[in-house]
Amino acid sequence: MSFVSNSPLSGTANTGRLTALRMPATVALSFAIIAIILAWSLAPQFFTTYSPVVGVPADKFLGPSFSHWFGTDHLGRDLYARVVYGTASSVSSALVAVVIGVLFGGLIGLLAGFLGGWVDVVLARLVDVLLSIPKFLLAVIVVTAIGFETINAAIATGVSAVAFFARVTRSEVIKTRQATFVEASYLSGGSRWYILLRHVLPNASRSVLPLAVLQFGESILIIASLAFLGYGDPPPASDWGLLISIGKDYLKWPWLVYAPAFVTIVTVLSVNRISRWLRKTD
């Protein structure tokens, strides 16, 4: 007896599944870049022997070389070391922003979509107000109110992302709540909390993951922009945005700008590529 199906539909389904599981080379490269960035943030001392704050005045403004991969700055500090040590602040701040957006935005969207009625109306209007304010402007307003520090910039960025997570979560919750298996669970005697935790939340969170990954890259850009404008930690901190801000005063030595800018751009593009791939395989 043969168990091999000759149905064209079966072959199409298997082909689609294999295509979804196959990882493109650009995605693999993006994961490798993000792995390096995370390693820099967790153990920067393993990637450079130079100090990010102590320099050699005689070595100032040296161009990129085997001794100094990104060159040196106006105080003779190794720029590669400053970029590597600044990764921890940039990555952790972006993670804080994403966590704030996911937790508070997800909670708002979950309550609005699941409870409905006047709760949905009130929370939806709150989300509309937040969406009417540009994200960067809202981040500037919040960080101005709570203080000029990198952690405050992360909080401000997270607040600016709450509305987007709330909107996506609400939409997914409403779609899941109307599904047949949820109605069947209701009819079989499932409580509202059981249905919320067992069915609605897991299904609604599937669409939040790609958005969270995308928001991580956007948070890096927003926090770097705030640091560039002086809303982050002051020198000798080495946040990527601050390094670009310092480097713009020495455009005669362009590596002071393009080295941290290149790392920032490559990181954000890699995160965006991973996010697009996750949306396609969802």
Side-chain angles (χ1 to χ4, degrees), residues 89-90 93-94 97 150 153-154 157 218-228 241:
S89 177
S90 300
S93 300
T150 299
T157 305
E218 187 174 1
S219 296
I220 290 178
L221 274 182
I222 294 177
I223 293 170
S225 300
L226 292 173
F228 179 86

Side-chain angles (χ1 to χ4, degrees), residues 54-276:
V54 179
V56 180
D59 292 341
K60 64 181 182 180
F61 296 126
L62 295 180
S65 64
F66 288 109
S67 299
H68 302 282
W69 291 359
F70 291 171
T72 61
D73 64 6
H74 61 292
L75 297 178
R77 296 172 296 190
D78 183 75
L79 188 58
Y80 171 72
R82 287 180 60 74
V83 170
V84 170
Y85 275 90
T87 304
S89 177
S90 300
V91 170
S92 61
S93 300
L95 286 175
V96 169
V98 171
V99 169
I100 292 174
V102 170
L103 288 181
F104 290 94
L107 180 60
I108 292 173
L110 191 64
L111 293 176
F114 190 72
L115 297 179
W118 67 268
V119 176
D120 185 20
V121 173
V122 172
L123 293 179
R125 297 295 77 77
L126 174 63
V127 170
D128 290 339
V129 171
L130 292 177
L131 287 174
S132 67
I133 306 174
K135 295 180 69 173
F136 186 74
L137 177 59
L138 181 59
V140 170
I141 294 172
V142 174
V143 77
T144 302
I146 62 180
F148 295 174
E149 294 182 13
T150 299
I151 185 62
N152 293 339
I155 295 173
T157 305
V159 171
S160 68
V162 165
F164 291 88
F165 283 102
R167 176 63 63 85
V168 172
T169 305
R170 175 182 177 273
S171 174
E172 291 298 319
V173 168
I174 292 176
K175 183 171 65 176
T176 305
R177 190 183 63 183
Q178 297 171 348
T180 305
F181 64 88
V182 173
E183 295 180 3
S185 183
Y186 268 122
L187 295 176
S188 62
S191 65
R192 298 190 70 178
W193 283 107
Y194 173 81
I195 294 171
L196 175 64
L197 298 177
R198 180 66 178 84
H199 297 298
V200 176
L201 185 59
N203 284 278
S205 61
R206 292 174 56 188
S207 298
V208 175
L209 177 60
L211 179 62
V213 175
L214 182 65
Q215 180 60 36
F216 176 73
E218 187 174 1
S219 296
I220 290 178
L221 274 182
I222 294 177
I223 293 170
S225 300
L226 292 173
F228 179 86
L229 296 175
Y231 293 110
D233 291 335
S238 56
D239 295 352
W240 292 345
L242 180 61
L243 293 179
I244 299 173
S245 177
I246 295 174
K248 70 176 176 43
D249 296 329
Y250 304 95
L251 292 180
K252 184 178 179 181
W253 299 274
W255 58 84
L256 296 179
V257 172
Y258 69 64
F262 176 77
V263 172
T264 304
I265 292 172
V266 168
T267 302
V268 173
L269 290 178
S270 299
V271 171
N272 290 350
R273 182 65 184 92
I274 294 172
S275 176
R276 290 200 304 272

Side-chain angles (χ1 to χ4, degrees), residues 10-24 277 280-281:
S10 175
T12 303
N14 291 333
T15 302
R17 190 178 298 109
L18 291 175
T19 302
L21 293 176
R22 190 182 302 119
M23 181 181 295
W277 178 70
K280 291 179 180 179
T281 56

Side-chain angles (χ1 to χ4, degrees), residues 3-49:
F3 292 93
V4 178
S5 173
N6 295 321
S7 170
L9 293 178
S10 175
T12 303
N14 291 333
T15 302
R17 190 178 298 109
L18 291 175
T19 302
L21 293 176
R22 190 182 302 119
M23 181 181 295
T26 54
V27 177
L29 178 61
S30 298
F31 272 111
I33 292 173
I34 297 303
I36 294 174
I37 295 300
L38 292 177
W40 281 2
S41 65
L42 294 174
Q45 65 275 10
F46 292 150
F47 295 91
T48 178
T49 57

